Amino acid sequence: MPMNVNSVIIYLAIVLAGYAVVSIADSFAPSEISTRLTISKAKAIFTQDSIIRGGKSIPLYSRVVDAQSPKAVVIPAKGSSFSMKLRDGDISWHDFRERVKQCKGVFPAVQMPVEACTNILFSSGTTGEPKAIPWTCATPLRAAADAWCHMDVRKGDVVAWPTNLGWMMGPWLVYASLLNGAAMALYNGSPVTSDFAKFIQDARVTMLGVIPSIVRTWKITNCTSGYDWSAIRCFGSTGEASNVDEYLWLMGRARYKPVIEYCGGTEIGGGFITGSLLQPQSLAAFSTPAMGCSLFILDNNGHPFPQDAPGMGELALYPVMFGSSSTLLNANHYDVYFKGMPVWNGKVLRRHGDFFERTSRGYYRAHGRADDTMNLGGIKVSSVEIERICNSVDENVLETAAIGVPPPEGGPEQLVIAVVFKDSDNSSLDLNQLRIIFNSALQKKLNPLFRVSSVVTLPSLPRTASNKVMRRILRQQLSQLDQKPKL
């Protein structure tokens, strides 16, 4: 479901009843929905019949049916009539609510132990199967604490963040606002329109969360012009690498209120590095570890730099963080986050997987993933998942490598596909047409939000002695071309 009033009420009702929510984004294809339902062993699914976006109706219930989901409760989209035929066993939202009306009395919240699961979320790894990450009863407190400490969310505030309950920032927004006594502003529609800008004005939003690609679209289209965002006290930004010029422009929309950069993970339940309203900020940079977190940047030998020294390398975290994961449903938690990591003061450090820099001025900058997972539009996805689809779209393709490349001017990663053809004579094929084919396959089979920016050809892919593709080498080579990807 999209993140609207109904979905938030359903989310909180499931948690208060002592059950666990399974978060699935409304953009997923049936195969991806099916994978997540199978891993989580979900008993039922709530869905809308469709989503109304840009005046068009996009089906949701049919995807759920194609995914062979368990029992479904189907909610009509706003403004649409509910006349479709449901599967045997599925029920409409109206009938579901009528059953509740037949029950008398109140429904008290069910007390659960702190380690009980409240939410199962998914984060892509490098194996092709998403990691199933349980949130416990402690995780909501972690999300709320981050918002209180770093973004000054408090009673009387109005918090808006275009997101979805399928990703961690959806549940984060629920708890970050409501547990701090703030109101949550939910907009039904696209955030890259003037209607959204008017909504922010009329709702008197005090903290507005963004991702950089949304800000870029606002700046290009100028759709926020003429609207009063003076109620905003600060912005929050997460999901992607940000751009200095675009964020200076964003600050200007709200009388130059600060942007608090915020970086974390589904398995953390919040951020591990962020900005702070108590410190001087630097655009597109982080000023401090999040409350309760300690950071370590590893040198080329895997040893932590001194914590106050500048340096660049893979980021590691102190293993004890309130609200963070301690288990995975479909993988070994120790192997994923701790195996092979260095020891510091008797504790094995926790793997995160990002490349980070600590500058001489004490700020931190993100430099992308250290492994083969990339970040596309705020969604982490493994190269393997993308390559599996691209390898099968054309019989002339021998193999592909999916690389996330930051543009020269900074900002979110662009998806570049490096292609090796079976026959060298095929190197003259229309690469733009191949890009269109890749896009169509990825959007149909993986996620409609993904887009290939450009396609490049190579005689072969660089590999290690054990025959693993060295995507990091490709990323460096493509980044050094110093040109914008073809859009």
Side-chain angles (χ1 to χ4, degrees), residues 112-362:
M112 301 294 288
V114 69
E115 67 272 11
C117 177
T118 63
N119 198 168
I120 298 169
L121 296 104
F122 296 88
S123 176
S124 292
T126 56
T127 63
E129 183 178 71
K131 298 192 298 291
I133 301 170
W135 276 20
T136 69
C137 292
T139 314
L141 302 177
R142 171 56 187 271
D146 279 3
W148 169 80
C149 180
H150 296 289
M151 299 167 195
D152 194 30
V153 175
R154 59 199 188 204
K155 185 177 180 179
D157 276 346
V158 179
V159 183
W161 204 312
T163 185
N164 188 283
L165 285 168
W167 310 114
M168 68 157 283
M169 290 308 294
W172 184 95
L173 175 62
V174 172
Y175 296 124
S177 54
L178 301 185
L179 286 179
N180 284 308
M184 180 170 33
L186 300 173
Y187 179 76
N188 295 320
S190 170
V192 291
T193 63
S194 57
D195 286 343
F196 177 79
K198 184 177 186 299
F199 171 78
I200 298 303
Q201 168 191 272
D202 295 348
R204 303 290 293 169
V205 168
T206 58
M207 201 286 280
L208 175 59
V210 299
I211 62 173
S213 57
I214 289 179
V215 176
R216 175 168 295 178
T217 302
W218 288 344
K219 186 172 184 290
I220 292 172
T221 62
N222 201 29
C223 64
T224 65
S225 178
Y227 295 102
D228 180 8
W229 285 7
S230 60
I232 293 175
R233 292 206 324 274
C234 78
F235 297 93
S237 176
T238 192
E240 303 169 339
S242 53
N243 176 280
V244 171
D245 292 338
E246 289 166 359
Y247 272 31
L248 183 61
W249 175 88
L250 175 66
M251 290 170 61
R253 302 308 92 195
R255 301 180 183 178
Y256 292 95
K257 299 297 172 54
V259 178
I260 301 301
E261 298 280 355
Y262 186 61
C263 182
T266 307
E267 71 281 4
I268 297 172
F272 60 84
I273 190 168
T274 182
S276 171
L277 293 173
L278 300 179
Q279 298 170 315
Q281 298 300 291
S282 178
L283 282 169
F286 307 88
S287 63
T288 181
M291 181 176 65
C293 295
S294 295
L295 311 178
F296 302 86
I297 295 177
L298 308 181
D299 61 22
N300 293 333
N301 297 317
H303 302 306
F305 286 104
Q307 287 186 283
D308 58 351
M312 182 185 296
E314 183 176 348
L315 185 82
L317 305 173
Y318 191 72
V320 180
M321 292 180 292
F322 180 78
S324 62
S325 67
S326 60
T327 185
L328 298 171
L329 297 187
N330 59 340
N332 185 293
H333 192 271
Y334 178 85
D335 288 349
V336 171
Y337 296 112
F338 295 97
K339 187 176 180 179
M341 293 298 288
V343 175
W344 187 84
N345 281 1
K347 298 282 188 180
V348 179
L349 297 182
R350 180 169 177 144
R351 179 181 293 107
H352 183 72
D354 280 354
F355 247 66
F356 259 78
E357 173 191 7
R358 189 179 193 276
T359 70
S360 58
R361 296 176 58 211

Side-chain angles (χ1 to χ4, degrees), residues 1 25 66 88 126 259 271 303 314 328 360 363 371 387 445:
M1 291 182 64
D66 291 344
D88 291 341
T126 56
V259 178
H303 302 306
E314 183 176 348
L328 298 171
S360 58
Y363 292 98
D371 54 18
E387 292 159 6
K445 298 180 180 180

